[in-house]
Amino acid sequence: FTRGRERSRPLISVVDECNQLIQQDGVKEIILLGQNVNSYHDKSEQAVIANPQSDYATSNEGFSNLFRLRGGAGYYFADLVDAVSNLSPEVRVRFTSPHPKDYPPELLQLMAERPNVCNQLHMPAQSGSSTVLERMRRGYTREAYLELLDTVKSTIPDVAISSDFISGFCGETEEEHKETIALMEQVQFDQAFMFAYSMRGKTHAHRKMVDDVPENIKQERLQQVINTFRTWVQQRNDSIEVGKLRLVLVEGEAKRSTPENPTWSGRTDQNKRIVFPYHGTVSDHDDRLLMHNMDGGSIPAEVPLVPLQAGDYGVVEVTEARGHTLRGKLLCRTTLSQFHEQRIQDQLLA
């Protein structure tokens, strides 16, 4: 929970810092952080001169800005993501934590077109009930949120969606709770962060409302929310992940790796953790070898093998889903550009 007015760093300062991290520290993933990060608006003199006009609008007509008007000259979040992702085609770009109201078409289109901007969005719903959302002063309805999700999925077909949910907000009825369960079943989120409501000081709820849902009811509803998420994430991953080739940014040895069963792990573009066996070397990117590996064949002796390191990209075939963690088979080392330019996944699954 944060307090105070939103402030945005000048775009050039963020870009310069990211460039330093890439050039001097060799980072392979940049995460743009901020409370309501996608509400970013650089109104510095340099930004206003460079971008004197703005067509700012909320995600769709069902969203509103509760505290102040937005708009005017300067750089917006799509400009920042564009600038950072242009620094290197081999560096992934993510962002968190956003607000659903600020997903304009230009941001979604940039994500769809720019290979190194990850196809993963955090879209905190908090509740599936429009009446609860109104009491929370979220600035949107259930219908507006679902309309935005339809736009996101049609623009970025392979996108993964995560969300936040609060059980037992002030005055929440059983019917309102069921609306949240229904929303989760309809959307089938790829990840969710779920909590029972606890009142915090200096908030609108603290000043105007009563924390009147009994703690045992909060916990019961929270468990139902958790169970719903777990059921649907398993079904979703079984359906859309198993059999896919995923570009994985390798993080290193997995926590449960053993000398007898060495495993490494990493993150997919969709920010899903994937674990795979690794025995010290792997082949470099080659379409023919990928097809050979997928057919279960061994790598020919004349093919050179290379060691894998944390920070490398690997092509991993997903073989199993265990909740929101995936397991797979490492096929080769690659680069982000190679993976997307040759459209490996489309070629092999066509």
Side-chain angles (χ1 to χ4, degrees):
F1 177 69
T2 59
R3 302 178 179 90
R5 298 178 61 184
E6 292 177 355
R7 294 180 294 172
S8 298
R9 286 175 54 184
L11 180 143
I12 189 63
S13 75
V14 179
V15 173
D16 285 346
E17 182 178 347
C18 292
N19 191 48
Q20 180 176 333
L21 290 169
I22 294 169
Q23 299 300 327
Q24 297 184 14
D25 299 337
V27 303
K28 299 297 286 288
E29 182 171 288
I30 297 288
I31 304 177
L32 300 171
L33 297 173
Q35 189 72 13
N36 295 351
V37 65
N38 56 336
S39 301
Y40 175 88
H41 186 191
D42 174 11
K43 295 183 284 187
S44 64
E45 181 179 357
Q46 182 178 359
V48 169
I49 293 173
N51 196 20
Q53 295 184 340
S54 166
D55 297 322
Y56 171 80
T58 55
S59 300
N60 62 47
E61 293 182 356
F63 290 84
S64 62
N65 285 288
L66 297 182
F67 301 109
R68 61 185 176 88
L69 294 176
R70 294 288 308 281
Y75 291 122
Y76 285 83
F77 191 62
D79 301 311
L80 179 62
V81 175
D82 179 43
V84 172
S85 61
N86 262 328
L87 292 173
S88 170
E90 293 300 317
V91 174
R92 280 179 168 176
V93 178
R94 301 185 189 276
F95 54 88
T96 200
S97 177
H99 192 289
K101 68 182 173 63
D102 282 318
Y103 279 113
E106 54 267 32
L107 176 59
L108 299 180
Q109 197 61 43
L110 176 65
M111 294 182 65
E113 296 173 355
R114 193 69 54 84
N116 62 331
V117 179
C118 293
N119 288 349
Q120 179 258 329
L121 287 176
H122 187 58
M123 303 187 69
Q126 306 297 359
S127 173
S129 166
S130 291
T131 50
V132 172
L133 292 170
E134 183 177 8
R135 294 200 297 276
M136 288 179 169
R137 304 176 81 191
R138 291 290 292 172
Y140 55 88
T141 62
R142 172 195 181 95
E143 291 73 24
Y145 183 86
L146 288 172
E147 180 184 340
L148 172 59
L149 283 180
D150 287 341
T151 301
V152 167
K153 292 180 178 181
S154 64
T155 306
I156 315 169
D158 198 26
V159 69
I161 305 292
S162 60
S163 193
D164 297 339
F165 290 96
I166 295 174
S167 295
F169 185 74
C170 303
E172 183 186 65
T173 66
E174 185 65 22
E175 188 60 36
E176 289 170 332
H177 165 64
K178 289 179 180 178
E179 289 183 278
T180 295
I181 298 295
L183 179 80
M184 297 180 74
E185 292 173 340
Q186 179 176 345
V187 176
Q188 301 179 26
F189 293 95
D190 295 273
Q191 179 59 283
F193 304 92
M194 301 155 283
F195 308 93
Y197 176 70
S198 60
M199 184 168 281
R200 297 181 179 181
K202 298 185 180 181
T203 62
H204 176 74
H206 183 258
R207 293 190 298 268
K208 302 289 186 179
M209 300 181 190
V210 177
D211 185 6
D212 55 356
V213 179
E215 186 61 30
N216 66 312
I217 299 298
K218 289 181 183 179
Q219 293 302 324
E220 288 177 9
R221 291 176 181 174
L222 174 61
Q223 193 58 54
Q224 291 175 20
V225 166
I226 292 172
N227 291 343
T228 301
F229 166 71
R230 287 177 175 171
T231 296
W232 286 103
V233 76
Q234 182 67 57
Q235 293 185 26
R236 177 169 170 78
N237 282 337
D238 284 340
S239 173
I240 69 167
E241 292 290 352
V242 175
K244 284 276 183 71
L245 297 187
R246 289 302 191 190
L247 178 69
V248 174
L249 180 56
V250 177
E251 296 178 345
E253 188 174 7
K255 290 182 179 179
R256 297 185 180 180
S257 177
T258 65
E260 298 76 22
N261 184 28
T263 54
W264 280 36
S265 67
R267 295 273 172 177
T268 69
D269 193 51
Q270 290 72 22
N271 205 27
K272 296 181 182 182
R273 182 171 179 266
I274 186 163
V275 179
F276 50 89
Y278 175 62
H279 298 281
T281 56
V282 66
S283 61
D284 250 344
H285 175 103
D286 185 299
D287 278 356
R288 292 167 299 176
L289 283 176
L290 279 175
M291 297 179 71
H292 190 73
N293 283 341
M294 289 184 70
D295 290 337
S298 59
I299 300 174
E302 66 273 13
V303 174
L305 301 178
V306 295
L308 197 65
Q309 302 178 42
D312 285 342
Y313 290 105
V315 181
V316 179
E317 180 187 5
V318 181
T319 59
E320 183 184 4
R322 297 185 181 181
H324 52 80
T325 298
L326 309 177
R327 293 185 177 272
K329 175 185 177 183
L330 177 64
L331 301 183
C332 70
R333 187 179 70 174
T334 189
T335 68
L336 196 155
S337 299
Q338 283 177 315
F339 184 85
H340 287 283
E341 286 173 3
Q342 299 185 20
R343 303 188 180 209
I344 299 171
Q345 181 172 310
D346 292 340
Q347 292 174 5
L348 297 182
L349 297 181

